[in-house]
Amino acid sequence: MAKNHKYDGKSLTLTATVAVVSGVAQLVGALFGVAGGNAAIGEDYVLHTEGAWELPCLGTDEIDVGDVLYWDAVNNRLTLTATDNTKVAIATEASAAAVTTVVAVIIPGLAA
């Protein structure tokens, strides 16, 4: 392996700038992931930036497998709505209207 390789980037250790709750998705700049543990402000925690996760979504969206999903940072949920939201994941399971969670795979570097 190249000598300048630092880590795989799938799990990043970050310092919390807000209180962090394990299992909750968050957008940190252009990094999107799921917190691996609880952390108070100033404490280190792990942000998982890859993998498939069950995450909250807008209950009025009818999500199909393969749909691109966006993070609504105001309401802390995934949505099909691109406007004012950040592209972060792709649905790996369908989620009917009135369902408030969806399984989606985080695509590293997709947040844009």
Side-chain angles (χ1 to χ4, degrees):
M1 178 167 300
K3 292 181 181 180
N4 60 339
H5 181 263
K6 296 293 184 181
Y7 44 82
D8 65 22
K10 296 176 184 178
S11 299
L12 305 172
T13 300
L14 303 176
T15 301
T17 58
V18 297
V20 174
V21 177
S22 180
V24 174
Q26 61 180 175
L27 186 62
V28 180
L31 287 171
F32 180 77
V34 176
N38 297 332
I41 294 172
E43 292 181 341
D44 286 347
Y45 71 102
V46 173
L47 182 71
H48 299 285
T49 59
E50 289 189 11
W53 301 85
E54 183 176 12
L55 297 171
C57 67
L58 179 60
T60 56
D61 283 347
E62 287 193 27
I63 299 170
D64 291 320
V65 173
D67 281 349
V68 173
L69 299 171
Y70 301 83
W71 186 247
D72 172 356
V74 173
N75 297 297
N76 294 317
R77 63 185 175 201
L78 294 169
T79 180
L80 293 170
T81 304
T83 304
D84 297 326
N85 297 314
T86 304
K87 186 185 329 180
V88 295
I90 298 174
T92 59
E93 294 182 13
S95 182
V99 176
T100 58
T101 62
V102 63
V103 176
V105 64
I106 296 171
I107 306 301
L110 185 62

